[in-house]
Amino acid sequence: MVFSLSKEQFSRDQLKWIAMVTMVLDHVGCIFVPVKTMPVCYYLLRGIGRVSFPLICFLLVQGFFYTHSRRKYLFRLWCFALVSEIPYDLAFFGRVWNPWNQNVFVTLAIGLMMLLGLFRTKEYVGKGWRILISCGIVGAAMVAAVLCRSDYSFWGVLMILAFYVGQYDWRLLIYSILLLCVVQGWLEAFGAVALFFVRYYAADRDAGRTRLPRSFFYWFYPVHLLILYGIFVLL
């Protein structure tokens, strides 16, 4: 990958751990820290937490290129979107079902469907129609994220697209990710820090290493939300 330097730094599992730790800090700030009485602590935790989602988007695109079965990959995302919905609603809204907001797995699944559509378009559609159809696919994915009210909405879809389009062009990637982070507001701008970890990622560092079970990364999201909700209820 273009992101790797001669000095390899981060493996895929290390990026996953960074994404998980920053995610937990973000959710701790959101659930436990009142912004009105503890603004510094709140914004510090939420700012650190902004790093998580861009890393997850990057790992999703990596998974798209290296998975053995993209259909199974998409099926897993939708399955965990269903599994995660109740923990997500409990943790952030205090109810078993909140139809007005959906968890981040929904955004990721929509983004992966978009990538599948773009990849197929590149393979089977002539150059003359490719741009038009690709724009339609991206637009449909953005609308789907908005209609589903999924976490990060259409911004999340565009983040996935940026990592897909900029995979071989670091300059394009850094500009697009910076723009996406900054235009969402000053807090989301901290997400651009994820570019540092992406820049020093080397896919071949995973070779020969004991990797985290694939299911661990998926289950971490709903399980940690349930644990945080349980702690919140006890307190």
Side-chain angles (χ1 to χ4, degrees), residues 25-52:
L25 293 176
D26 180 49
H27 293 165
V28 167
C30 183
I31 297 170
F32 294 99
V33 182
V35 63
K36 291 184 179 180
T37 57
M38 303 177 65
V40 175
C41 183
Y42 174 84
Y43 286 115
L44 177 63
L45 290 172
R46 299 305 306 276
I48 295 172
R50 299 302 89 195
V51 175
S52 180

Side-chain angles (χ1 to χ4, degrees), residues 169-188:
D169 188 336
W170 172 250
R171 184 173 296 180
L172 173 62
L173 180 63
I174 193 171
Y175 288 156
S176 57
I177 296 299
L178 279 172
L179 179 63
L180 285 171
C181 290
V182 170
V183 296
Q184 294 181 74
W186 69 269
L187 187 59
E188 296 294 337

Side-chain angles (χ1 to χ4, degrees), residues 182-224:
V182 170
V183 296
Q184 294 181 74
W186 69 269
L187 187 59
E188 296 294 337
F190 286 98
V193 175
L195 287 168
F196 169 79
F197 301 106
V198 170
R199 183 68 178 92
Y200 287 92
Y201 168 72
D204 54 352
R205 191 175 178 186
D206 295 310
R209 287 174 171 262
T210 302
R211 295 180 55 189
L212 285 172
R214 183 171 55 192
S215 59
F216 178 84
F217 192 53
Y218 292 113
W219 280 108
F220 180 84
Y221 181 75
V223 170
H224 95 277

